[in-house]
Amino acid sequence: MERPESGSGKPLIITEDPVLLDDLLRLCAAAGAEPHVSHAMPEQSGAVDSVGTGPVAGTGGVGGAFGVRGSAGVGPPGGAGWTDAPLVLVGEDVAGRVRGAPRRSAVFLVGRAEGRDRDEPVVWQRAVEIGAEQVLWLPEMEKWLADRIADVAEGAGRPALTVGVIGGSGGAGASTLACALAVSAARSGERTMLIDGDPFGGGLDVLLGGEGAEGLRWPDFAASRGRVAAGALEESLPELHSLRLLSWDRGKRVQVPPAAMRSVLAAARRRGGVVVADLPRRVDEVMAEALAQMDLVLMVVPVELRSVAAASRVADALEGVARDVRVVVRARLAGELDPDEVAGLLRLPLAGEMPVELGVSEWLARGEPPGTFVWGPLARFCDGFWRRVLGPGQGVPA
């Protein structure tokens, strides 16, 4: 079966039913997609209609051709072809005229359920004849179809590599590392989003020097349910140091429910690139939703016995919730333990040693976030981390 190219990201709608067309255009608008619309013609091979731009690409010999227009007028030269549209929605009313078109994936036969026998054999026969993956009855399947159209509009590329950072003890430096990792990734050209997942923290916007930056904060997403558009999320957030930041405001603390955390993080991942999340030490229902979407969790642990003891309790809470947890040992000028000893005591892999960097407080006072100084030890540590993780294959090396 031929696999469609990503093309323009615009789905192709083929129907002559005005009611069905209105429904499909409404779903496309809700998903942020501008479709191409074709009107099936009577059996005239190679014919086009008065607003058409040509027959569907690759359908020579098929009984019928499609003139293509957008929802707001005539489409681009050549229109959206059968073979290159990322998604094709064929109305049940014209299914017979599409019979014989080249086989491809992402074709759906769509009809309205009112007053219809959905088990009618002819409907399923038509679906088989056009190679449809599924028969979609509206309005029951509207939400599913809107999500599928949104996937097309946003692009179905590789999801973002998502790294959570959590402190093994209070004051371990997790927020500092999260900011430095995000700044480093953005500096290297990665599409980067930094998420402040700790409502009781000091605020990552402070570390980035962006308390007054325009854009939405967590309270604006507290009521989010279902799908959040990835592009809209990115554009709504403050942009600081070439990255997008989702942080808390300075108002009264607003509880973000698990569903909102799940929806927002899923949208952040769909946009691709890199997502770094600063996570709280308490593993509750909201935190569990965040951890479920992390590819890797880095637990920052200072090299001292009390911190290791506290980190062991955090590690126990993460077990079974986070799928890949590794230790970043925060060095001291004179530490009590060796980094390998810390990792061994916690029974977790060692991801590296976060170095001491002098002068950080002075940089923060000037509005320069951690990791900004390219030749500093913290920036070099973060750059090395991303080189290992974002190498060929985009995997997370063991």
Side-chain angles (χ1 to χ4, degrees), residues 219 249-255:
D249 62 11
R250 294 294 174 266
K252 185 177 180 180
R253 188 174 69 88
V254 174
Q255 179 66 37

Side-chain angles (χ1 to χ4, degrees), residues 154-159 270:
E154 294 176 357
R158 182 189 298 273
R270 286 197 305 274

